[in-house]
Amino acid sequence: MHRTAVLSLCALAAAYNTAMAQGVGYDNTPQIPGQKWKVHDKSRPNPPVVTPAPAGDPAAAPGDATVLMDGDLDAWQHADGGSAAWSVGADGVVTVKAGTGDILTREHFGDCQLHVEFSTPEPVGESQGRGNSGVFFFGVYEIQVLDSFENTTYADGQCAAIYGQYPPLVNVSRAPGEWQTYDIFFEAPAFDKDGNLEKPAYVTVVHNGVLVHNRRALLGRTSHLSAPSYSPHGAEGPIKLQDHGNPMRFRNLWVRPLSAE
Ligand code: MG
């Protein structure tokens, strides 16, 4: 083969590999308000990968925390008000039972500090199909849970993303099967008596000991394929965990409601 032809084939192969690495996502979705990116933009760069410290023991709840998950599902219910149907193992670990639906806390919270421990299953599938769940405040503001260990997806949908709005500052995911932690500081949005937004929600997220969102203002409810926007709600709401069809594991969830004073 002619040398020039070989070189252009190599260039084509390199371009193809680059496109494959960055090309997961969409180019026909709405613009994210105030950003240069579209929702789930396939050209949005994925954040740098950072190796976290090794996983440690469960972080014990401080004395003033409300324990949400410690060997049972008593604090949780199904969205329809029935019992939470996820499974609880002999070791106290909770596993998503695919198809049974999301679970919500019976108690409602406003501003809070939330600790979550999760572990993604053996990799099956790819992109959003791998180790997908989520932690939602007020049931509608999602911090994504995903297996983002050597698994490329669109940047605003990877693990620890504010789903459809902001990727994490870095990808500090641990491997499937290892325990990971979120420490999330959530400030509830406020609405006036006519339902207009007075103050957006703010969120700070620490993933496996590393800061990945530093008091980010949310652009509204997180959503798939559509642009975020706010619709009014009360001062407190449930925390929700998502059944996205993958046997994700959770343990040791606790929350500290934060007073405005
Ligand atoms: Mg999710």
Side-chain angles (χ1 to χ4, degrees):
M1 197 183 290
H2 193 277
R3 186 164 173 273
T4 316
V6 173
L7 285 176
S8 20
L9 273 178
C10 289
L12 264 177
Y16 177 77
N17 285 336
T18 304
M20 286 301 286
Q22 298 177 348
V24 181
Y26 299 83
D27 59 10
N28 58 352
T29 45
Q31 203 76 25
I32 301 176
Q35 297 188 16
K36 64 185 276 196
W37 308 107
K38 294 174 184 245
V39 174
H40 318 321
D41 200 320
K42 67 182 187 180
S43 60
R44 190 169 193 165
N46 287 104
V49 173
V50 168
T51 303
D57 293 331
D64 66 348
T66 300
V67 174
L68 296 176
M69 189 182 285
D70 184 22
D72 61 56
L73 284 167
D74 295 353
W76 301 82
Q77 62 185 3
H78 189 271
D80 66 8
S83 301
W86 295 6
S87 58
V88 184
D91 54 4
V93 169
V94 169
T95 303
V96 177
K97 199 184 281 181
T100 61
D102 303 338
I103 64 172
L104 293 80
T105 54
R106 296 178 186 279
E107 194 172 338
H108 288 189
F109 305 94
D111 297 357
C112 62
Q113 170 184 357
L114 176 69
H115 177 82
V116 178
E117 301 186 14
F118 65 93
S119 169
T120 64
E122 276 305 299
V124 175
E126 58 185 15
S127 185
Q128 293 290 301
R130 193 162 131 181
N132 197 332
S133 183
V135 177
F136 293 70
F137 294 86
F138 287 80
V140 295
Y141 306 109
E142 182 182 16
I143 305 302
Q144 172 72 310
V145 172
L146 195 77
D147 176 2
S148 285
F149 185 83
E150 299 175 354
N151 176 37
T152 304
T153 191
Y154 43 84
D156 69 21
Q158 69 175 74
C159 194
I162 299 168
Y163 187 77
Q165 301 185 19
Y166 291 100
L169 294 170
V170 292
N171 176 358
V172 70
S173 295
R174 293 196 177 108
E178 294 188 40
W179 284 101
Q180 309 195 51
T181 59
Y182 280 162
D183 289 284
I184 306 173
F185 307 87
F186 188 84
E187 297 174 48
F191 303 89
D192 69 17
K193 61 177 175 31
D194 298 319
N196 302 307
L197 185 70
E198 280 186 327
K199 179 179 92 74
Y202 290 94
V203 70
T204 298
V205 180
V206 176
H207 181 197
N208 294 331
V210 174
L211 182 73
V212 295
H213 294 289
N214 189 9
R215 200 169 184 264
R216 283 238 193 249
L218 271 66
L219 303 171
R221 298 180 180 220
T222 55
S223 59
H224 182 56
L225 297 176
S226 54
S229 63
Y230 278 100
S231 31
H233 54 67
E236 296 185 331
I239 292 166
K240 183 175 93 173
L241 299 178
Q242 184 182 41
D243 168 12
H244 203 284
N246 300 131
M248 296 290 306
R249 298 188 300 154
F250 289 93
R251 71 177 185 192
N252 194 34
L253 271 72
W254 48 261
V255 62
R256 295 182 63 248
L258 302 174
S259 160
E261 292 301 309

